[in-house]
Amino acid sequence: MKAAKKKTRKKTKEPTRTDGRKAMLVYMLPELIEDVKDAAELGHEKAWQFVERAVKKALKRKTA
């Protein structure tokens, strides 16, 4: 009987960032994505900055 082969994922080389951030894929409803983009634009920031700030705020509230 053959031993089952372990599936391995090829590690893709992520571009290195000087600030230490890593990429993360998140699925959201299209209308929520549009709302995030609009809110970020109102605050003169990029969508990822808006989301990062919102997540930090939510986690801080959760642990407080």
Side-chain angles (χ1 to χ4, degrees):
M1 191 152 134
K2 289 185 178 181
K5 285 189 177 182
K6 194 181 209 183
K7 289 185 180 182
T8 57
R9 287 186 174 183
K10 289 183 181 178
K11 287 195 174 188
T12 57
K13 177 129 170 101
E14 288 185 31
T16 55
R17 291 182 51 111
T18 56
D19 59 13
R21 286 182 173 87
K22 294 174 108 178
M24 182 178 105
L25 177 64
V26 178
Y27 291 91
M28 295 190 298
L29 296 170
E31 57 272 13
L32 187 56
I33 293 170
E34 285 303 314
D35 290 345
V36 165
K37 289 178 180 180
D38 291 343
E41 189 177 319
L42 285 173
H44 304 289
E45 59 188 341
K46 297 182 184 205
W48 70 266
Q49 292 168 318
F50 175 85
V51 171
E52 184 177 74
R53 188 171 43 79
V55 168
K56 283 181 181 179
K57 186 177 179 180
L59 291 173
K60 191 175 184 179
R61 261 188 284 143
K62 198 167 196 156
T63 59

